[in-house]
């Protein structure tokens, strides 16, 4: 088939469930010159799809993964092969046998309500009705999700192959990819052992072979395959006479890392309880060689009996009927893990036209295919994918040893109860600021983000807690990774002065003769200001969605320092930068101290030769100066709603900067404060956190950052789309919990008039206000004072819509 601009040539590598789904989604959008290459035989080529047990539980703490799973269920339910549906909607049941797991199931029921999945907590008796073989006496309750079920992955692959083929796609098996051709930074073709296929776009949907394909393309694929045990019993008397493939819900026994499904009169059991079994993707056997070695397929490794024994004992305890049963067959099936457990999706900047659709489980397969197809055809997916973006990992998180260690840990934690603040245990410390030694001396409690060690509070401030008076008691969950010291640090910031380590903030340097024009075109606010100006602005996509928020400091006519969020921001700017603009990440070579509080000027003014008065150094201004012996770039910004500055210097001078500020601040009672207080203070001011409160699913006006958009200036990315938007139907809405002792943490459903109407994004106790602050996406137009309820671990907590900013609405504390 000839290629035209409207029908670009696409080669998809891998005809598993993702590759077949993608071919279907692309051809449905009019891209019909699609070739899908597969090294094994079709329709069961021997990858993870060929052995997948097919359990689809839609509910996830990630809104994105839940959306991908919901579409997968919707699509597969609509497909059939010879009258057999590609999705068997038997429902799902998750069991709790400990109080901790029952509380987790209540949280999961909250996620389900937040993300639009039907689910309810049910009694032990109801669990027994749904699965009569379980020992009811062990069960404290369950989460029943009636729309979950079994994806028949091979059938779904066949159905989508047929639809895509009817539209012009072709599927070629027994084609082993041996190389990726490129020219001038773009992909041009795929080389196989049976010929070369020209291409304008190549998509790696190779599953656990993804790193192999990536190496051919010169593109890093941070993916680690691991083997996972799956066993099938012999026929069970309790299931005799069964004719349907399954009649009971798919079952999870997460307290023992187990799941179950019926196979007519047998039961299939999967276990994550065993030691991680990593697999080298470069050593996986080809299909025919695997068969010659008596393996069912390349992804099916021999069953390791010694790993199975503890799980089999747990199975027999939960289901007494299994005590007389035997395992008829078992294997160790290989599938993909990443350092954070999320898929790896998107187009490589280093090789344009080369796309990844990797580390995708059957649960999310059709949803991922739809999103990637939208991305390719329309230029953006219809849902936020920043958690899955291939650019999200820091350079320090891409080493093979890191990917192996974190991938193995993701396997271990598949069914663990994970707190939203829970840091990884290894490898740590990985990235530390120049102040790390001083922070350790002050008893910092470190959590981790992006590989950085981030102090959340300092035990040196514990004596300050006594002056606070009684604080509301916290439940065990909200008290985890929290300390009352955070309240003391917030109070000290509001009343005195505190030092905050802001080093993990991403810093980009943009230079060159075209830098002003470039940044002005790429961002939403007016940057045409004199050097010394700092501007809060947004990176928008063509549809007006918020890709990121930035602080842009113009330090010289052709030199800017940009405060950004993720590696994706750097990637986005580099994709669009013209030849006369240079963009580089300077984060690792620099550091930052936030000096904030009403005494901030008293601390810094004696240390600098420049005038730091309000008149001489106004809000949102920058100045290159000195603090003691240390050259700094000082920016008068405050993310906590208090007077102060961000002070930047090079990493080699960072410790000297900290010590200079610390020594000078002693007589003022300076403290070091952590991220826990920081988050509380920023929510009291209503400052948004990109990726949590707002993403590219949201536009600036509904997110409450429309002040950063200047529609009256020259064209910028996203302007046309914003001009065409109608009245917002949803708003990022501030809530105050009515009970001073109540706390929520984020992602909880919000009920209006008794019905789920939205969900919490960020939440933290506002120590200045004496109430927990929560921001939530809710229907637009809810008047101030409207009563709502937030569901926290099964309890409906009353809250009230509030005006923002909740603290210092006239901004008098910052501008003084």
């Amino acid at each position: 088939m000839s290629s035209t601009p409207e029908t670009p040539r696409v080669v998809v590598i891998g005809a598993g469930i993702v590759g077949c789904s993608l071919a279907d989604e692309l051809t449905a959008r009019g891209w019909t010159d699609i070739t899908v290459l597969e090294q094994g035989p079709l329709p069961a080529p021997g990858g993870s799809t060929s052995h997948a047990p097919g359990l689809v539980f839609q509910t996830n703490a990630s809104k994105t993964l839940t959306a991908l799973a919901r579409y997968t269920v919707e699509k597969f339910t609509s497909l059939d092969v010879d009258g057999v549906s590609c999705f068997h909607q038997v429902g799902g049941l998750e069991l709790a046998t400990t109080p901790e797991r029952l509380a987790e199931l209540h949280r999961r029921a909250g996620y389900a309500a937040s993300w639009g999945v039907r689910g309810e907590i049910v009694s032990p008796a109801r669990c027994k009705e749904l699965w009569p073989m379980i020992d009811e006496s062990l069960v404290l309750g369950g989460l029943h999700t009636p729309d979950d079920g079994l994806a028949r992955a091979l059938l779904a692959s066949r159905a989508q192959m047929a639809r895509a083929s009817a539209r012009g796609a072709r599927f070629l098996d027994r084609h082993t990819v041996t190389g990726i051709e490129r020219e001038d930074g773009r992909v041009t073709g795929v080389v196989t052992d049976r010929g070369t296929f020209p291409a304008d776009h190549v998509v790696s949907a190779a599953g656990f072979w993804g790193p192999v394909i990536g190496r051919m393309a010169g593109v890093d694929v941070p993916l680690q395959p691991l083997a996972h045990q799956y066993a099938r019993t012999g026929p069970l008397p309790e299931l005799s006479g069964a004719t349907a493939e399954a009649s009971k819900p798919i079952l999870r026994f997460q307290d023992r890392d187990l799941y179950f499904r019926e196979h007519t009169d047998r039961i299939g059991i999967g276990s994550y309880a065993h030691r991680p079994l990593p697999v080298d993707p470069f050593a996986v056997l080809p299909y025919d060689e695997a068969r010659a070695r008596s393996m069912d397929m390349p992804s099916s490794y021999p069953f390791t009996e010694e790993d199975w024994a503890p799980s089999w004992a747990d199975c027999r305890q939960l289901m007494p009927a299994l005590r007389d049963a035997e395992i008829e067959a078992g294997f160790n099936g290989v599938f993909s893990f990443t350092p954070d457990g999320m898929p790896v999706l998107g187009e490589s900047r280093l090789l344009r036209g080369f796309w990844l659709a990797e580390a995708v489980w059957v649960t999310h397969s059709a949803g991922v295919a739809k999103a990637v197809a939208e991305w390719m055809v329309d230029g953006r997916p219809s849902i936020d994918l920043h958690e899955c973006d291939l650019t999200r990992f820091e350079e320090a998180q891409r080493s093979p040893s890191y990917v192996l260690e974190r991938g193995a840990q993701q396997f271990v934690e598949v069914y663990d109860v994970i707190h939203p603040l829970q840091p990884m245990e290894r490898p740590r410390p990985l990235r530390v600021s120049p102040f790390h030694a001083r922070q350790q001396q002050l008893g910092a409690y470190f959590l981790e983000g992006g590989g950085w060690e981030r102090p959340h509070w300092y035990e040196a401030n514990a004596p300050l807690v006594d002056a606070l008076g009684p604080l509301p008691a916290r439940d065990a969950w909200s008290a985890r990774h929290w300390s009352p010291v955070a309240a003391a640090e917030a109070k000290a910031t509001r009343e005195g002065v505190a030092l905050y380590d802001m080093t993990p903030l991403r810093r980009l340097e943009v230079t060159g003769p075209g830098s002003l024009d470039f940044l002005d075109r790429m961002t939403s606010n007016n940057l045409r200001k004199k050097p010394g100006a700092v501007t809060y602005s947004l990176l928008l996509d063509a549809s007006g969605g918020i890709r990121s928020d930035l602080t842009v400091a113009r330090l010289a006519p052709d030199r800017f320092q940009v405060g950004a969020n993720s590696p994706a921001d750097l990637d986005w700017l580099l994709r669009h930068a013209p030849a006369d603009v240079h963009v580089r990440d300077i984060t690792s070579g620099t550091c930052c101290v936030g000096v904030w509080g009403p005494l901030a000027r008293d601390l810094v003014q004696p240390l600098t030769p420049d005038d730091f008065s309000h008149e001489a150094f106004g809000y949102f201004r920058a100045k290159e100066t000195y603090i003691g012996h240390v050259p700094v770039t000082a920016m008068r910004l405050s993310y906590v709603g208090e007077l102060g500055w961000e002070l930047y210097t090079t990493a080699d001078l960072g410790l000297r900067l900290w010590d200079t500020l610390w020594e000078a601040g002693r007589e003022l009672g300076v403290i070091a404060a952590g991220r826990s207080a920081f988050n509380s203070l920023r929510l009291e001011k209503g400052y948004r956190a990109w990726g949590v409160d707002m993403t590219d699913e949201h536009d600036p006006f509904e997110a409450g950052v429309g002040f950063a958009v200047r529609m009256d200036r020259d064209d910028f990315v996203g302007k046309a789309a914003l001009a065409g938007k109608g009245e917002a139907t949803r708003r990022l809405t501030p809530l105050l919990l009515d009970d001073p002792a109540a706390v929520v943490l984020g992602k909880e459903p919000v009920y209006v008039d008794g019905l789920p109407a939205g969900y919490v994004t960020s939440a933290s106790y506002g120590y200045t206000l004496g109430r927990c602050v929560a921001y939530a996406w809710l229907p637009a137009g809810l008047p101030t004072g409207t009563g709502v309820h937030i569901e926290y671990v099964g309890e409906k907590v009353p809250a009230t819509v509030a005006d923002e900013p909740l603290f210092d609405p006239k901004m008098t504390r910052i501008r003084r």
Side-chain angles (χ1 to χ4, degrees), residues 110 140 154 255 264 342 447 474 629 651 718 747 802:
L140 302 181
L154 287 177
D255 288 324
T264 313
M342 302 292 286
L447 298 181
R474 289 201 172 207
H629 298 95
K747 301 187 178 182

PDB file of all heavy atoms in Angstrom, residues 110 140 154 255 264 342 447 474 629 651 718 747 802:
ATOM      1  N   GLY A 110     -12.983   3.602  47.912  1.00  0.00           N
ATOM      2  CA  GLY A 110     -12.962   5.038  47.678  1.00  0.00           C
ATOM      3  C   GLY A 110     -12.383   5.383  46.322  1.00  0.00           C
ATOM      4  O   GLY A 110     -12.921   6.242  45.606  1.00  0.00           O
ATOM      5  N   LEU A 140     -12.627 -11.002  57.079  1.00  0.00           N
ATOM      6  CA  LEU A 140     -13.216  -9.861  57.782  1.00  0.00           C
ATOM      7  C   LEU A 140     -14.133  -9.041  56.879  1.00  0.00           C
ATOM      8  O   LEU A 140     -14.927  -8.236  57.366  1.00  0.00           O
ATOM      9  CB  LEU A 140     -12.107  -8.945  58.321  1.00  0.00           C
ATOM     10  CG  LEU A 140     -11.110  -9.590  59.276  1.00  0.00           C
ATOM     11  CD1 LEU A 140     -10.091  -8.554  59.745  1.00  0.00           C
ATOM     12  CD2 LEU A 140     -11.830 -10.213  60.463  1.00  0.00           C
ATOM     13  N   LEU A 154      -6.267 -13.839  24.035  1.00  0.00           N
ATOM     14  CA  LEU A 154      -6.015 -14.340  22.685  1.00  0.00           C
ATOM     15  C   LEU A 154      -7.224 -14.136  21.777  1.00  0.00           C
ATOM     16  O   LEU A 154      -7.081 -13.799  20.598  1.00  0.00           O
ATOM     17  CB  LEU A 154      -5.612 -15.807  22.735  1.00  0.00           C
ATOM     18  CG  LEU A 154      -4.201 -16.078  23.270  1.00  0.00           C
ATOM     19  CD1 LEU A 154      -3.934 -17.580  23.343  1.00  0.00           C
ATOM     20  CD2 LEU A 154      -3.146 -15.405  22.410  1.00  0.00           C
ATOM     21  N   ASP A 255      -3.526 -10.664  51.195  1.00  0.00           N
ATOM     22  CA  ASP A 255      -2.746 -10.845  52.419  1.00  0.00           C
ATOM     23  C   ASP A 255      -1.737 -11.969  52.293  1.00  0.00           C
ATOM     24  O   ASP A 255      -0.797 -12.063  53.090  1.00  0.00           O
ATOM     25  CB  ASP A 255      -3.685 -11.108  53.600  1.00  0.00           C
ATOM     26  CG  ASP A 255      -4.457  -9.864  54.011  1.00  0.00           C
ATOM     27  OD1 ASP A 255      -3.886  -8.763  53.932  1.00  0.00           O
ATOM     28  OD2 ASP A 255      -5.636  -9.992  54.386  1.00  0.00           O
ATOM     29  N   THR A 264     -13.262 -23.841  34.456  1.00  0.00           N
ATOM     30  CA  THR A 264     -14.359 -24.826  34.425  1.00  0.00           C
ATOM     31  C   THR A 264     -14.383 -25.613  35.746  1.00  0.00           C
ATOM     32  O   THR A 264     -14.829 -25.071  36.750  1.00  0.00           O
ATOM     33  CB  THR A 264     -14.249 -25.757  33.211  1.00  0.00           C
ATOM     34  OG1 THR A 264     -13.997 -24.958  32.042  1.00  0.00           O
ATOM     35  CG2 THR A 264     -15.564 -26.507  32.978  1.00  0.00           C
ATOM     36  N   MET A 342       4.548   1.326  36.434  1.00  0.00           N
ATOM     37  CA  MET A 342       3.666   1.896  35.415  1.00  0.00           C
ATOM     38  C   MET A 342       4.164   1.552  34.016  1.00  0.00           C
ATOM     39  O   MET A 342       5.344   1.252  33.827  1.00  0.00           O
ATOM     40  CB  MET A 342       3.590   3.419  35.588  1.00  0.00           C
ATOM     41  CG  MET A 342       3.105   3.885  36.952  1.00  0.00           C
ATOM     42  SD  MET A 342       1.376   3.499  37.259  1.00  0.00           S
ATOM     43  CE  MET A 342       0.574   4.714  36.209  1.00  0.00           C
ATOM     44  N   LEU A 447      12.038  11.338  53.275  1.00  0.00           N
ATOM     45  CA  LEU A 447      11.314  10.552  52.301  1.00  0.00           C
ATOM     46  C   LEU A 447      12.003  10.746  50.963  1.00  0.00           C
ATOM     47  O   LEU A 447      13.010  11.452  50.876  1.00  0.00           O
ATOM     48  CB  LEU A 447       9.836  10.968  52.253  1.00  0.00           C
ATOM     49  CG  LEU A 447       9.062  10.758  53.562  1.00  0.00           C
ATOM     50  CD1 LEU A 447       7.609  11.173  53.396  1.00  0.00           C
ATOM     51  CD2 LEU A 447       9.141   9.323  54.036  1.00  0.00           C
ATOM     52  N   ARG A 474      -4.439  11.568  65.369  1.00  0.00           N
ATOM     53  CA  ARG A 474      -4.535  11.015  64.016  1.00  0.00           C
ATOM     54  C   ARG A 474      -4.754   9.515  64.073  1.00  0.00           C
ATOM     55  O   ARG A 474      -4.269   8.841  64.987  1.00  0.00           O
ATOM     56  CB  ARG A 474      -3.273  11.310  63.219  1.00  0.00           C
ATOM     57  CG  ARG A 474      -3.116  12.767  62.836  1.00  0.00           C
ATOM     58  CD  ARG A 474      -2.188  12.908  61.660  1.00  0.00           C
ATOM     59  NE  ARG A 474      -2.158  14.267  61.149  1.00  0.00           N
ATOM     60  CZ  ARG A 474      -1.882  14.587  59.891  1.00  0.00           C
ATOM     61  NH1 ARG A 474      -1.594  13.641  59.024  1.00  0.00           N
ATOM     62  NH2 ARG A 474      -1.875  15.839  59.499  1.00  0.00           N
ATOM     63  N   HIS A 629      29.982  35.105  51.371  1.00  0.00           N
ATOM     64  CA  HIS A 629      30.966  34.872  50.315  1.00  0.00           C
ATOM     65  C   HIS A 629      30.392  34.154  49.101  1.00  0.00           C
ATOM     66  O   HIS A 629      31.121  33.878  48.148  1.00  0.00           O
ATOM     67  CB  HIS A 629      32.125  34.021  50.862  1.00  0.00           C
ATOM     68  CG  HIS A 629      32.881  34.676  51.968  1.00  0.00           C
ATOM     69  ND1 HIS A 629      32.610  34.439  53.289  1.00  0.00           N
ATOM     70  CD2 HIS A 629      33.902  35.572  51.948  1.00  0.00           C
ATOM     71  CE1 HIS A 629      33.426  35.149  54.046  1.00  0.00           C
ATOM     72  NE2 HIS A 629      34.221  35.847  53.259  1.00  0.00           N
ATOM     73  N   ALA A 651      26.400  23.833  43.305  1.00  0.00           N
ATOM     74  CA  ALA A 651      26.395  22.768  44.296  1.00  0.00           C
ATOM     75  C   ALA A 651      27.634  22.807  45.190  1.00  0.00           C
ATOM     76  O   ALA A 651      27.556  22.505  46.388  1.00  0.00           O
ATOM     77  CB  ALA A 651      26.286  21.416  43.596  1.00  0.00           C
ATOM     78  N   GLY A 718      -1.561  26.598  22.550  1.00  0.00           N
ATOM     79  CA  GLY A 718      -2.790  26.405  23.312  1.00  0.00           C
ATOM     80  C   GLY A 718      -3.752  27.569  23.278  1.00  0.00           C
ATOM     81  O   GLY A 718      -4.900  27.432  23.716  1.00  0.00           O
ATOM     82  N   LYS A 747      -7.191  11.701  46.901  1.00  0.00           N
ATOM     83  CA  LYS A 747      -7.805  10.688  46.037  1.00  0.00           C
ATOM     84  C   LYS A 747      -9.121  10.149  46.585  1.00  0.00           C
ATOM     85  O   LYS A 747      -9.724   9.265  45.973  1.00  0.00           O
ATOM     86  CB  LYS A 747      -6.842   9.537  45.731  1.00  0.00           C
ATOM     87  CG  LYS A 747      -5.571   9.979  45.040  1.00  0.00           C
ATOM     88  CD  LYS A 747      -4.724   8.803  44.593  1.00  0.00           C
ATOM     89  CE  LYS A 747      -3.471   9.275  43.851  1.00  0.00           C
ATOM     90  NZ  LYS A 747      -2.643   8.158  43.367  1.00  0.00           N
ATOM     91  N   ALA A 802     -15.120  26.390  50.346  1.00  0.00           N
ATOM     92  CA  ALA A 802     -14.574  27.621  50.919  1.00  0.00           C
ATOM     93  C   ALA A 802     -14.107  28.569  49.816  1.00  0.00           C
ATOM     94  O   ALA A 802     -13.952  28.176  48.655  1.00  0.00           O
ATOM     95  CB  ALA A 802     -13.411  27.289  51.850  1.00  0.00           C
TER      96      ALA A 802
END
